[in-house]
PDB file of all heavy atoms in Angstrom:
ATOM      1  N   GLY A 474      24.877   8.318 -11.105  1.00  0.00           N
ATOM      2  CA  GLY A 474      24.022   7.263 -10.807  1.00  0.00           C
ATOM      3  C   GLY A 474      22.598   7.444 -11.239  1.00  0.00           C
ATOM      4  O   GLY A 474      22.232   8.630 -11.658  1.00  0.00           O
ATOM      5  N   VAL A 501      27.428  18.844 -15.642  1.00  0.00           N
ATOM      6  CA  VAL A 501      26.236  18.812 -16.561  1.00  0.00           C
ATOM      7  C   VAL A 501      26.405  17.744 -17.580  1.00  0.00           C
ATOM      8  O   VAL A 501      27.469  17.371 -18.091  1.00  0.00           O
ATOM      9  CB  VAL A 501      26.148  20.156 -17.274  1.00  0.00           C
ATOM     10  CG1 VAL A 501      25.671  21.305 -16.315  1.00  0.00           C
ATOM     11  CG2 VAL A 501      27.434  20.620 -17.989  1.00  0.00           C
ATOM     12  N   PRO A 657      19.785  46.438  -6.483  1.00  0.00           N
ATOM     13  CA  PRO A 657      19.381  47.431  -5.363  1.00  0.00           C
ATOM     14  C   PRO A 657      19.621  46.790  -4.033  1.00  0.00           C
ATOM     15  O   PRO A 657      19.469  45.614  -3.791  1.00  0.00           O
ATOM     16  CB  PRO A 657      17.928  47.650  -5.657  1.00  0.00           C
ATOM     17  CG  PRO A 657      17.477  46.307  -6.240  1.00  0.00           C
ATOM     18  CD  PRO A 657      18.612  45.830  -7.049  1.00  0.00           C
ATOM     19  N   PHE A 664      28.129  37.828  -2.759  1.00  0.00           N
ATOM     20  CA  PHE A 664      28.438  36.646  -3.690  1.00  0.00           C
ATOM     21  C   PHE A 664      27.188  36.479  -4.521  1.00  0.00           C
ATOM     22  O   PHE A 664      26.061  36.209  -3.946  1.00  0.00           O
ATOM     23  CB  PHE A 664      28.717  35.434  -2.818  1.00  0.00           C
ATOM     24  CG  PHE A 664      29.394  34.251  -3.545  1.00  0.00           C
ATOM     25  CD1 PHE A 664      30.712  34.013  -3.343  1.00  0.00           C
ATOM     26  CD2 PHE A 664      28.657  33.459  -4.424  1.00  0.00           C
ATOM     27  CE1 PHE A 664      31.354  32.971  -4.024  1.00  0.00           C
ATOM     28  CE2 PHE A 664      29.279  32.374  -5.077  1.00  0.00           C
ATOM     29  CZ  PHE A 664      30.578  32.190  -4.844  1.00  0.00           C
ATOM     30  N   ASP A 667      23.484  32.696  -7.961  1.00  0.00           N
ATOM     31  CA  ASP A 667      22.813  32.102  -9.131  1.00  0.00           C
ATOM     32  C   ASP A 667      22.278  33.292  -9.987  1.00  0.00           C
ATOM     33  O   ASP A 667      21.727  34.248  -9.506  1.00  0.00           O
ATOM     34  CB  ASP A 667      21.696  31.174  -8.737  1.00  0.00           C
ATOM     35  CG  ASP A 667      21.178  30.340  -9.844  1.00  0.00           C
ATOM     36  OD1 ASP A 667      21.905  30.142 -10.852  1.00  0.00           O
ATOM     37  OD2 ASP A 667      20.073  29.722  -9.778  1.00  0.00           O
ATOM     38  N   ARG A 779      23.323  15.362   3.110  1.00  0.00           N
ATOM     39  CA  ARG A 779      22.390  14.320   3.135  1.00  0.00           C
ATOM     40  C   ARG A 779      22.154  13.689   1.776  1.00  0.00           C
ATOM     41  O   ARG A 779      21.065  13.166   1.534  1.00  0.00           O
ATOM     42  CB  ARG A 779      21.046  14.884   3.728  1.00  0.00           C
ATOM     43  CG  ARG A 779      21.100  15.217   5.217  1.00  0.00           C
ATOM     44  CD  ARG A 779      21.218  13.954   6.143  1.00  0.00           C
ATOM     45  NE  ARG A 779      20.067  13.109   5.989  1.00  0.00           N
ATOM     46  CZ  ARG A 779      18.886  13.326   6.705  1.00  0.00           C
ATOM     47  NH1 ARG A 779      18.793  14.374   7.492  1.00  0.00           N
ATOM     48  NH2 ARG A 779      17.872  12.564   6.462  1.00  0.00           N
ATOM     49  N   LYS A 863     -17.927  19.552  20.886  1.00  0.00           N
ATOM     50  CA  LYS A 863     -16.692  20.309  21.130  1.00  0.00           C
ATOM     51  C   LYS A 863     -17.051  21.823  21.264  1.00  0.00           C
ATOM     52  O   LYS A 863     -16.521  22.570  22.173  1.00  0.00           O
ATOM     53  CB  LYS A 863     -15.695  20.148  19.962  1.00  0.00           C
ATOM     54  CG  LYS A 863     -14.403  20.965  20.179  1.00  0.00           C
ATOM     55  CD  LYS A 863     -13.436  20.714  18.971  1.00  0.00           C
ATOM     56  CE  LYS A 863     -12.204  21.517  19.257  1.00  0.00           C
ATOM     57  NZ  LYS A 863     -11.232  21.380  18.087  1.00  0.00           N
ATOM     58  N   LEU A1051     -12.375 -34.861  -4.539  1.00  0.00           N
ATOM     59  CA  LEU A1051     -12.379 -33.551  -5.277  1.00  0.00           C
ATOM     60  C   LEU A1051     -11.149 -32.780  -4.997  1.00  0.00           C
ATOM     61  O   LEU A1051     -10.594 -32.107  -5.878  1.00  0.00           O
ATOM     62  CB  LEU A1051     -13.650 -32.839  -4.822  1.00  0.00           C
ATOM     63  CG  LEU A1051     -14.996 -33.358  -5.350  1.00  0.00           C
ATOM     64  CD1 LEU A1051     -16.097 -32.649  -4.699  1.00  0.00           C
ATOM     65  CD2 LEU A1051     -15.107 -33.210  -6.886  1.00  0.00           C
ATOM     66  N   GLN A1094       3.109 -23.535 -21.855  1.00  0.00           N
ATOM     67  CA  GLN A1094       2.173 -22.824 -20.936  1.00  0.00           C
ATOM     68  C   GLN A1094       0.800 -22.716 -21.552  1.00  0.00           C
ATOM     69  O   GLN A1094      -0.185 -22.877 -20.699  1.00  0.00           O
ATOM     70  CB  GLN A1094       2.792 -21.353 -20.709  1.00  0.00           C
ATOM     71  CG  GLN A1094       4.112 -21.405 -19.876  1.00  0.00           C
ATOM     72  CD  GLN A1094       4.871 -20.145 -19.909  1.00  0.00           C
ATOM     73  OE1 GLN A1094       4.644 -19.247 -20.751  1.00  0.00           O
ATOM     74  NE2 GLN A1094       5.653 -19.901 -18.836  1.00  0.00           N
TER      75      GLN A1094
END
Side-chain angles (χ1 to χ4, degrees):
V501 289
F664 197 106
D667 194 20
R779 291 289 296 278
K863 180 181 179 183
L1051 288 171
Q1094 290 167 338

